């Protein structure tokens, strides 16, 4: 990373991206999953609601009359609220429900099975109780809603009456006893003659005094009995039904539309949660912006994922798009990489580079081949060397033979000339495939013969491109990095962050001249508006799709520092620099 800055490449300013745009792009990418989860939730809720048993509800209203309590204070109000809650609990007792079932000629078990819910709720700031009965039968819930208040009122009156029965019975017994005593005294008084003797006069006076006392006691007991009756009338609560139940017509559950909408929303929310969790746990690099946010590595260019058509009409991912379709927006992306490389270091122009990647399968050979083509199309002589001796693919990319190649040149006992395979459409593009497979690729690439070959190519052609194995798979690229001017790291969309960080750390340890990265296989949805603007500009079907233009005139300043002598044999072979 430090080498890139030393080479004169400054990291571009990264404009902050709005979070809402990131979220919208994420939602758009996972829109299929969000819609699928919403539809699954909605359909499941709709089917479940349709198959569920409909539940009906009937309700009645009761009022609690606390008697002539005109001067009620705050404590009386709290007492009334507690009393309402107490009545609500009493109405849902098993004994009360059993009496209801008995009056409806049902068993308690059958009543419980047919009813879904029984609730009695005090209405806030009122003396009303709301009785709500839910069940599968409209007629049954209506009967229960009317019968339950009636049973409770009867039971309440019975309980309240039992509180005064004993007191009234005791007073009544005392009154009956006094009546009998008064009658007995009156009989004794009536038996005394009108002309009583002195002794009878004394007895008469005593009897009259006793009669007066008993009559006074009788009057007091009678008054107490009347006061007790008044107290009984005032202390008892009168519960009356103010609204009877009416038979329901439509069920209250299931609510098909509401359930379907809620389940759809829940499915969408769950999908969003899963999407954001996946995105949070995903440690792959998907865009150049993420790469710039992760490391201080200049981006030389970005190439979207593309396909090319083989001569047999079969489409393949990658390929030489710059050679077959020079007007393709992808070709323009490679020309942008070419320009960035040519002017990356003004003081010391770049003439040789190693193209590698962190992991296999990131498209480094495709980038190397297309970059070599656009450099050759600009009028520069280019040598593309397949230095990946473990899994060579340059010969497959250009559809040439893999032999003779690099290994044959290095192992030749008398190397007099480099045996190139010239590209048929570009005379100034020289291809050096890998050749036969050696048993010791790292030792062969690190030999003095390899250093001499690279130095000779630098003096012979304008650009030397070495396609090397991935850095984390083999150490070949580290060996070749010291022989060239710069190293270009190909980073594909979807590569692990740890792989990129580890690669950059190892490049920094060997002081490799890393100039920047080419972001490959960028998804077009992530590429932004550039690709579409350029595609619209060059999208005319009548455009000339012939070979690309020559930029030699535009690179006059670059040519000033290039060698003037380039020797090339007629058969496409170039002399080898000997010791």
């Amino acid at each position: 990373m430090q080498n890139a800055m030393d080479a004169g490449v400054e990291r571009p300013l990264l404009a902050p991206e709005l979070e809402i745009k990131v979220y919208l792009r994420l939602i758009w990418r996972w829109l299929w999953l969000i819609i699928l989860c919403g539809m699954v939730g909605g359909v499941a809720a709709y089917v479940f609601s349709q198959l569920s048993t409909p539940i009906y509800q009937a309700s009645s209203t009761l009022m609690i009359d606390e008697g002539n309590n005109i001067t009620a204070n705050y404590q009386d109000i709290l007492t009334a609220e507690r009393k309402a809650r107490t009545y609500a609990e009493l109405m849902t007792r098993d004994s009360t429900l059993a009496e209801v079932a008995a009056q409806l000629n049902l068993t308690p078990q059958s009543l419980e099975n047919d009813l879904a819910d029984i609730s009695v709720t005090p209405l806030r700031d009122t003396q009303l109780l709301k009785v709500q009965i839910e069940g599968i039968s409209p007629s049954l819930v209506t009967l229960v809603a009317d019968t339950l208040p009636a049973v409770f009122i009867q039971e309440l009156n019975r309980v309240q009456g039992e509180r005064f029965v004993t007191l009234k019975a005791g007073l009544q017994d005392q009154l009956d006893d006094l009546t009998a005593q008064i009658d007995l005294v009156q009989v004794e008084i009536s038996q005394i003659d009108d002309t009583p003797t002195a002794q009878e006069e004394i007895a008469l006076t005593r009897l009259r005094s006793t009669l007066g006392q008993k009559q006074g006691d009788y009057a007091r007991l009678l008054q107490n009995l009347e006061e007790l009756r008044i107290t009984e009338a005032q202390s008892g609560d009168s519960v009356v039904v103010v609204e009877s139940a009416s038979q329901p017509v439509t069920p209250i559950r299931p609510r098909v539309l509401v359930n379907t909408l809620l389940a759809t929303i829940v499915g969408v929310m769950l999908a969003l949660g899963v999407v954001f969790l996946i995105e949070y746990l995903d440690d792959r690099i998907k865009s150049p912006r993420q790469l710039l946010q992760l490391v201080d590595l200049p981006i030389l260019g970005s190439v979207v994922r593309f396909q090319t058509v083989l001569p047999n009409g079969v489409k393949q991912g990658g390929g030489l798009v710059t050679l077959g379709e020079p007007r393709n927006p992808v070709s323009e992306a490679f020309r942008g990489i070419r320009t960035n490389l040519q002017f990356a270091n003004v003081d010391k122009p770049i003439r040789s580079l190693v193209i590698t990647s962190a992991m296999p399968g990131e498209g480094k050979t495709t980038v190397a081949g297309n970059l070599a083509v656009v450099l050759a199309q600009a009028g520069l002589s280019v040598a593309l060397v397949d230095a990946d001796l473990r899994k060579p693919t340059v010969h497959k990319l250009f559809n040439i033979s893999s032999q003779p190649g690099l290994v044959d040149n290095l192992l030749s006992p008398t190397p007099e000339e480099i045996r190139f395979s010239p590209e048929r459409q570009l005379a100034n593009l020289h291809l050096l495939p890998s050749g036969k497979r050696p048993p010791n690729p790292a030792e062969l690439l690190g030999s003095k013969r390899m250093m001499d070959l690279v130095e000779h190519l630098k003096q012979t052609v304008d650009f030397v491109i070495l396609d090397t194995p991935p850095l984390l798979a083999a150490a070949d690229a580290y060996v070749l990095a010291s022989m060239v001017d710069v190293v270009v790291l190909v980073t594909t969309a979807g590569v692990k962050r740890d792989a990129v960080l580890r690669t950059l750390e190892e490049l920094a340890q060997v002081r490799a001249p890393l100039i920047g990265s080419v972001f490959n296989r960028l998804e077009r949805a992530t590429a932004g508006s550039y690709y579409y603007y350029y595609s619209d500009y060059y999208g005319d079907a009548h455009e000339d799709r012939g070979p690309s233009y020559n930029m030699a005139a535009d690179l006059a300043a670059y040519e000033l520092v290039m060698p003037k002598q380039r020797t090339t044999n007629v058969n496409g072979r170039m002399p080898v620099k000997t010791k």
Side-chain angles (χ1 to χ4, degrees), residues 269-513:
M269 297 302 294
L270 289 177
L272 287 175
V274 171
V275 166
F276 286 123
L277 179 61
I278 293 175
E279 190 69 16
Y280 176 77
L281 298 177
D282 190 3
D283 61 345
R284 297 176 299 170
I285 300 176
K286 303 183 184 66
S287 65
R289 181 179 296 273
Q290 291 183 352
L291 182 61
L292 285 174
Q293 292 173 347
L294 181 64
V295 295
D296 188 13
L297 182 65
I299 304 296
L300 300 176
S302 300
V303 181
V304 298
R305 188 182 298 272
F306 64 94
Q307 290 182 334
T308 54
V309 182
L310 298 177
N312 57 4
V314 178
K315 292 184 178 181
Q316 67 170 359
L320 293 174
V321 64
T322 54
L323 194 61
E325 301 180 60
R327 296 289 184 178
N328 193 296
V330 179
S331 301
E332 183 65 20
F334 281 108
R335 285 191 282 269
I337 298 172
R338 174 191 66 191
T339 304
N340 290 335
L341 277 175
Q342 291 172 334
F343 297 101
N345 194 345
V346 179
D347 297 333
K348 184 181 179 181
I350 299 171
R351 298 182 53 198
S352 60
L353 57 91
V354 162
I355 294 183
T356 184
S357 62
M359 301 292 294
E362 295 194 56
K364 59 177 182 57
T365 302
T366 301
V367 173
N370 283 280
L371 182 59
V373 170
V374 295
L375 286 170
Q377 289 174 344
L380 304 176
S381 59
V382 182
L384 175 59
V385 181
D386 191 353
D388 188 351
L389 305 183
R390 303 173 188 270
K391 192 177 179 181
T393 53
V394 169
H395 64 282
K396 297 179 181 179
L397 182 66
F398 285 88
N399 195 21
I400 61 175
S401 176
S402 62
Q403 298 181 13
L406 176 61
V407 176
D408 302 279
N409 282 280
L410 295 178
L411 298 180
S412 177
T414 56
E416 297 180 354
E417 56 184 12
I418 301 177
R419 295 184 290 273
F420 278 99
S421 297
E423 166 48 42
R424 292 182 294 272
Q425 300 185 36
L426 295 172
N428 54 341
L429 176 57
H430 309 282
L431 306 176
L432 185 59
S434 62
K436 57 185 177 181
R437 298 284 184 91
N440 54 345
E443 291 78 4
L444 192 61
L445 294 176
S447 64
K448 184 67 167 54
R449 292 280 294 274
M450 184 66 186
M451 296 178 62
D452 292 341
L453 186 144
V454 173
E455 287 299 324
H456 175 69
L457 290 177
K458 289 181 182 179
Q459 298 174 8
T460 307
V461 297
D462 296 332
F463 249 94
V464 180
I465 300 177
L466 302 180
D467 180 28
T468 62
L471 290 169
L472 297 182
D476 301 356
Y478 300 112
V479 176
L480 296 174
S482 60
M483 305 179 188
V484 296
D485 297 333
V486 295
V487 175
V488 174
L489 180 66
V490 176
T491 303
T492 188
V495 68
K496 299 287 186 178
R497 299 178 184 177
D498 293 340
V500 176
L501 291 176
R502 180 181 171 187
T503 300
L504 295 178
E505 290 175 357
E506 295 183 0
L507 286 173
Q509 289 178 0
V510 300
R511 297 184 180 276

Side-chain angles (χ1 to χ4, degrees), residues 14 26 46-47 73 76 86 95 111 127 156 163 192 246 298 462 492 523 558:
L14 184 62
L26 177 63
Y46 178 80
V47 173
N73 52 27
D76 295 333
T86 302
S95 59
L111 181 64
Q127 296 176 286
L156 180 63
R163 295 167 53 191
I192 298 175
S246 58
D462 296 332
T492 188
E523 297 295 338
Y558 185 83

